[in-house]
Amino acid sequence: MPKYTGPDGVLLVDKPSGPTSHDVVNAVRRHFGVKKVGHCGTLDPNATGLLILVLGKATKLSDSLMGQDKVYEGVITLGKETSSFDIDGDILSETPVPPLSCEELSTMALDFKGDQMQTPPMVSAIKKDGVPLYKLARKGIEVERPPRLIHVYYFKITQFQTPDCAFEIACTKGTYIRSIAHDLGQKIGCGAHLKTLRRTVSGSFNVRKAYRLERILEMEMARSDRSFDSLGSAPRKHLDRLMAMQFHRTFDRLPSLGRPVVCAIGMFDGFHLGHQKVIEKTLKLAQDHGAMATVLTFQNHPESIVGKASPHPDSPVLHPLKDF
């Protein structure tokens, strides 16, 4: 049997509303001709945001990446209960929303913080005797679902304009945000359902580093290193060009230092292996040239401050296995 020779790594996708998570996997598999592709945590079709794909040998990381904590933001609509706990379901009941303030809703949301046992909704990918629950739900069949232990780190109501309340929540894997929305409606007494949902963080990955699916499907595979080729240049060349441009602009404005400077500019936390290697290279270059080594790090992507080349961060398309 021939061995797998495709790319290995983690691909961060900013999933649009509409396709299922499996649809995204299939699209990437077909477009790049990669056989081994999986995802690390399902997003409902109408949900958007961070979908982590693993390719090649990185599929072995699937369970580890799937088990990481998540952060979501979205909108809950009060006053309407649905069969699926979200906007896709049939409306089961409608109740007037009582007078509420954002502060009052925020106080109610505090009760969801901490450990709790959550019963998964019938419309879910959990399987019963090998059959996904959502398929049973479509047939009008409801089965017993054992509750699962979850943990909510925080649940914040960020804005409220009747009947919609915007929120942000951080939680463990396996937490159904639709159920949180439903339970909040029960607590208020008027019912509720999840209107929109966007995953922004999963473990150490942020949607700000993800690529929109449509952009990924415009890319081609680089023949030399089997990495993804973006707009005719390998990702490494993009980074080199960006950094060279930033160095040039910076050095022109530092004539008073009196000696050369080697400066690394980016978003560094000091823990990722890739970050450590950049800093080590900066120190070595400075030592070799008798220069001063500096590291300039940003909370936001440096493009948003130094130069606005694109609304999208020029981060690696495919994160290699050595970074894990």
Side-chain angles (χ1 to χ4, degrees):
M1 180 179 292
K3 294 183 178 179
Y4 175 81
T5 58
D8 305 308
V10 175
L11 179 63
L12 306 184
V13 180
D14 187 347
K15 176 191 168 302
S17 176
T20 67
S21 299
H22 193 62
D23 289 339
V24 175
V25 168
N26 283 339
V28 170
R29 181 186 291 126
R30 287 194 304 267
H31 183 76
F32 295 107
V34 178
K35 293 182 179 179
K36 301 176 69 174
V37 184
H39 68 76
C40 303
T42 301
L43 280 175
D44 290 336
N46 274 340
T48 67
L50 183 60
L51 183 66
I52 301 175
L53 300 191
V54 283
L55 287 72
K57 295 178 182 178
T59 52
K60 297 179 181 179
L61 299 172
S62 181
D63 288 343
S64 174
L65 295 178
M66 194 179 299
Q68 296 180 332
D69 297 334
K70 314 287 194 297
V71 178
Y72 299 90
E73 60 186 25
V75 174
I76 296 171
T77 296
L78 305 181
K80 293 181 181 180
E81 287 190 10
T82 71
S83 57
S84 60
F85 298 174
D86 64 8
I87 197 170
D88 289 332
D90 297 328
I91 297 176
L92 301 180
S93 66
E94 296 189 49
T95 306
V97 180
L100 289 167
S101 67
C102 189
E103 291 74 20
E104 289 172 321
L105 283 170
S106 296
T107 299
M108 293 182 184
L110 290 175
D111 292 339
F112 289 85
K113 184 178 178 181
D115 292 336
Q116 56 188 280
M117 301 300 293
Q118 184 185 70
T119 300
M122 268 302 298
V123 181
S124 65
I126 295 174
K127 294 182 178 180
K128 174 72 172 179
D129 298 327
V131 181
L133 292 183
Y134 66 83
K135 290 188 176 181
L136 297 176
R138 288 174 183 170
K139 298 177 181 179
I141 301 173
E142 183 166 351
V143 297
E144 185 178 353
R145 289 99 63 201
R148 298 179 169 191
L149 177 65
I150 64 167
H151 183 87
V152 174
Y153 297 99
Y154 64 79
F155 180 30
K156 302 176 182 177
I157 305 300
T158 56
Q159 189 176 354
F160 177 57
Q161 184 172 358
T162 308
D164 294 333
C165 54
F167 69 91
E168 184 179 63
I169 187 169
C171 54
T172 52
K173 77 156 190 173
T175 302
Y176 283 90
I177 311 303
R178 287 181 284 136
S179 294
I180 297 286
H182 173 80
D183 293 346
L184 177 63
Q186 294 294 303
K187 188 176 185 64
I188 297 170
C190 63
H193 67 271
L194 184 65
K195 182 178 182 180
T196 65
L197 184 68
R198 179 170 177 79
R199 183 190 289 158
T200 56
V201 176
S202 180
S204 61
F205 295 109
N206 194 297
V207 73
R208 291 178 300 185
K209 295 291 187 71
Y211 282 76
R212 297 188 307 274
L213 178 62
E214 57 267 31
R215 183 178 177 187
I216 290 174
L217 297 180
E218 291 173 352
M219 298 178 184
E220 297 179 356
M221 191 76 74
R223 296 179 180 273
S224 58
D225 58 1
R226 299 292 290 171
S227 62
F228 292 109
D229 189 3
S230 174
L231 305 178
S233 300
R236 178 69 249 176
K237 293 180 181 178
H238 277 298
L239 182 59
D240 288 342
R241 185 167 66 250
L242 175 62
M243 294 182 73
M245 175 186 68
Q246 293 172 341
F247 288 168
H248 178 73
R249 292 178 181 177
T250 304
F251 292 160
D252 283 350
R253 299 177 184 179
L254 296 175
S256 61
L257 291 176
R259 62 187 178 122
V261 175
V262 177
C263 179
I265 301 176
M267 298 171 65
F268 301 107
D269 58 21
F271 294 101
H272 285 76
L273 293 178
H275 297 184
Q276 295 177 22
K277 288 183 179 180
V278 171
I279 294 173
E280 289 171 2
K281 185 176 181 180
T282 302
L283 293 171
K284 186 177 186 306
L285 286 172
Q287 184 177 6
D288 292 345
H289 294 85
M292 180 174 68
T294 62
V295 175
L296 182 60
T297 185
F298 293 78
Q299 181 176 358
N300 298 318
H301 195 276
E303 276 189 5
S304 65
I305 299 173
V306 179
K308 202 164 184 178
S310 166
H312 189 283
D314 202 351
S315 56
V317 181
L318 189 66
H319 298 258
L321 287 174
K322 63 181 178 61
D323 285 349
F324 298 90

